[in-house]
Amino acid sequence: MNLVYLSFAPLLLAPGIGSRAARPVAPLVLLAASAAQAAAALAVAFTVTTGTSLAGGYLTTDATARLFLVVINLVFLGIAGYVWNRARTTPELADQVSRFARLSLVFMGAANFVILSNHLLAGWIALEITTLAATPLVVRTGVPSSRHAAWRYLLFSSVGLAIAFVGLVCLGRSMATTGAPPTFFLDELRSAPTDAPNMWRRLGLALVVLGYGTKLGLAPMYSWLPETYDEAPPSTTALLAAVQFNCTLVCLLRVLQVYRAGDRDLVATELLAIGLVSMAVSTVSIIATNNYKRLIAYASINHAGVIAIGLAIGKSASYGVVLYVVSNAFIKAILFLTAGKIKAHYGTKDPREVSGLISDLPYSGLFLMVGTFALLGFPPFGSFLGELIILSGLVRADQILVFVIFCSLVSLSFVATGRTVFPMIWGAPKKKVHWPRQSFLSVTPKLAFLVALVAMGIYMPAPINALFRAVAASLGAG
């Protein structure tokens, strides 16, 4: 059996851990399944032949699929480790953990299909399945506001995906107007002759960018994201921010890889606009918020804006975009899981009520500090190098005004984030809370993410770097 098909094994396990009898072993099954998925993803990335088509042509193993398959499954392994440790130390969470295990396995089966999909509509359907699986995970028992957030998440996600679907239909219609048989298979689209842009293709591209942009949390329809990330449990927030975000981004990248060359100005203008607006609204929100979990959520919008600007520039910025995207998957996983630990310890999300983390919760304080440095683009993390390459791309493209606005917004975000987060880390604790000492085992997933972040900023082995460069080349890097 091809290793690629192991990516869908969680779909077979999910029904089995839904019974009451299986609840005690659900965390262990989740951890084992995620470890097997991560191992299979690594094997596919570095042993399977590039561009192999499977399942009647519906699956592909091109560079984009192989890189992001590794990223999302490594992140999921870290989340599963966090959930397993929480279940081990807090037995009263057994029912919630069982539900998370069941739905997250369905989620990951669909997420892996999104990444591997060689068909634009099939990938869209799988992304919708991840949305349906994630919606119940946003809800926290006995917290009405989380139910409201779940409905908003489902509503905005459905609207965004509906817009993207209309865009895909328009792209199909654009082929029909030229006399070519409509197809949504990526390999067929890449080999099809390039025709002059027409109204249907321009409309389709604009709608696809807007629709998937909504799912990514980009302006103008971004308001669902901070509320959802704030209200959802930490494991669910990390799943949405570090896994589903990248699945949605891959769907957008697939369209750009095929259609960007024929409508470069349209794509660049729309992505630049929504990128800058997203950075602006997130910066204002970071300055105004008194909720550290929402602050990280607003920073996620900021990062999505940076990615949109990098994709708008393309060419020399493409490698920086790929590096920035992968780095931010690990950064968001570290920070949201750490924020969950801080909330459980202090019982508040108000940063003014938290102080002395480095002495009270040493591991959490350390990860919040280092994660914030990476969030703000400090060296030696991969986010620093990625952002630097994107800024260099702006200068090379003569986008000086965008460069100035970009730097101004990043500087404001830097000051506002530091003003909120760093007082939480140092100083005397404001509350005396007795809590079991943190074990090294409990922080192993976040430590692995941190090592990956540093490696991307300092040195990447040749096979990994080649994979990054192959994805960048597919986005137009020279």
Side-chain angles (χ1 to χ4, degrees):
M1 181 180 68
N2 195 298
L3 286 171
V4 171
Y5 295 120
L6 290 177
S7 301
F8 311 118
L11 293 172
L12 303 177
L13 293 173
I17 59 174
S19 64
R20 184 174 296 274
R23 286 180 184 177
V25 298
L28 191 58
V29 172
L30 177 66
L31 184 61
S34 63
Q37 277 185 281
L42 288 168
V44 168
F46 300 109
T47 64
V48 175
T49 304
T50 302
T52 301
S53 292
L54 302 165
Y58 280 90
L59 302 179
T60 182
T61 56
D62 65 357
T64 302
R66 289 182 291 126
L67 175 62
F68 283 95
L69 191 68
V70 171
V71 172
I72 68 168
N73 282 286
L74 287 180
V75 169
F76 184 59
L77 176 59
I79 295 170
Y82 170 87
V83 171
W84 172 79
N85 184 68
R86 287 283 289 159
R88 184 175 61 88
T89 57
T90 316
E92 57 268 26
L93 295 177
D95 288 348
Q96 297 176 41
V97 169
S98 176
R99 184 181 66 159
F100 177 84
R102 182 172 67 256
L103 290 173
S104 65
L105 288 175
V106 173
F107 177 98
M108 283 306 299
N112 285 331
F113 188 92
V114 173
I115 300 298
L116 292 165
S117 178
N118 187 46
H119 192 276
L120 294 179
L121 277 181
W124 180 91
I125 292 170
L127 187 61
E128 179 63 38
I129 293 173
T130 68
T131 300
L132 296 175
T135 299
L137 294 177
V138 176
V139 179
R140 290 181 292 149
T141 305
V143 183
S145 58
S146 68
R147 192 174 299 276
H148 180 263
W151 278 111
R152 276 177 62 86
Y153 163 73
L154 181 60
L155 174 63
F156 275 84
S157 293
S158 299
V159 169
L161 289 174
I163 293 172
F165 176 78
V166 174
L168 293 175
V169 172
C170 290
L171 291 176
R173 175 61 179 164
S174 74
M175 296 188 69
T177 60
T178 64
T183 181
F184 291 103
F185 285 100
L186 290 169
D187 49 0
E188 294 178 5
L189 288 170
R190 291 190 184 107
S191 61
T194 302
D195 298 305
N198 56 57
M199 181 196 70
W200 286 107
R201 188 159 79 175
R202 290 193 180 101
L203 177 61
L205 266 176
L207 290 175
V208 166
V209 171
L210 177 62
Y212 284 138
T214 299
K215 187 69 175 162
L216 291 170
L218 286 164
M221 290 187 284
Y222 66 90
S223 61
W224 65 270
L225 188 146
E227 182 182 10
T228 302
Y229 284 14
D230 180 30
E231 292 293 342
S235 52
T236 301
T237 305
L239 201 64
L240 296 176
V243 177
Q244 191 179 70
F245 178 92
N246 285 292
C247 291
T248 307
L249 184 63
V250 166
C251 287
L252 178 59
L253 295 183
R254 295 300 194 188
V255 174
L256 296 181
Q257 287 166 350
V258 174
Y259 291 100
R260 180 198 184 103
D263 292 278
R264 192 173 297 276
D265 290 341
L266 171 66
V267 171
T269 301
E270 185 175 5
L271 285 172
L272 274 178
I274 63 177
L276 286 174
V277 173
S278 298
M279 289 185 69
V281 297
S282 68
T283 299
V284 172
S285 301
I286 288 171
I287 294 171
T289 190
N290 282 316
N291 179 323
Y292 55 81
K293 199 174 179 186
R294 284 203 179 220
L295 184 148
I296 303 170
Y298 290 129
S300 299
I301 298 174
N302 190 292
H303 291 163
V306 172
I307 293 165
I309 291 172
L311 289 174
I313 301 303
K315 297 181 180 178
S316 60
S318 297
Y319 182 81
V321 170
V322 177
L323 193 58
Y324 192 82
V325 167
V326 176
S327 296
N328 275 281
F330 295 126
I331 291 170
K332 288 185 282 190
I334 290 172
L335 288 176
F336 280 120
L337 295 179
T338 300
K341 180 70 174 179
I342 296 170
K343 168 63 169 61
H345 184 82
Y346 292 99
T348 180
K349 289 180 279 191
D350 190 337
R352 296 168 296 185
E353 298 298 320
V354 180
S355 181
L357 267 175
I358 204 69
S359 58
D360 198 12
L361 291 174
Y363 287 133
S364 295
L366 177 63
F367 282 116
L368 181 64
M369 178 178 66
V370 176
T372 302
F373 285 147
L375 180 80
L376 297 174
F378 275 60
F381 304 106
S383 52
F384 164 76
L385 185 57
E387 197 166 46
L388 196 63
I389 295 172
I390 292 171
L391 286 170
S392 175
L394 285 171
V395 174
R396 291 184 181 183
D398 292 325
Q399 295 282 356
I400 305 303
L401 179 60
V402 176
F403 176 87
V404 171
I405 297 172
F406 185 109
C407 292
S408 300
L409 293 172
V410 167
S411 299
L412 288 172
S413 298
F414 170 83
V415 173
T417 302
R419 181 195 64 181
T420 300
V421 172
F422 293 136
M424 296 171 58
I425 299 170
W426 294 286
K430 294 184 177 181
K431 292 183 179 181
K432 295 294 182 182
V433 181
H434 296 289
W435 192 269
R437 190 173 183 84
Q438 288 182 281
S439 66
F440 179 78
L441 182 63
S442 67
V443 299
T444 301
K446 288 182 281 187
L447 184 61
F449 295 156
L450 182 58
V451 170
L453 278 172
V454 174
M456 282 187 284
I458 297 177
Y459 169 76
M460 282 195 293
I464 300 176
N465 191 41
L467 198 55
F468 274 69
R469 291 195 176 279
V471 177
S474 72
L475 297 173

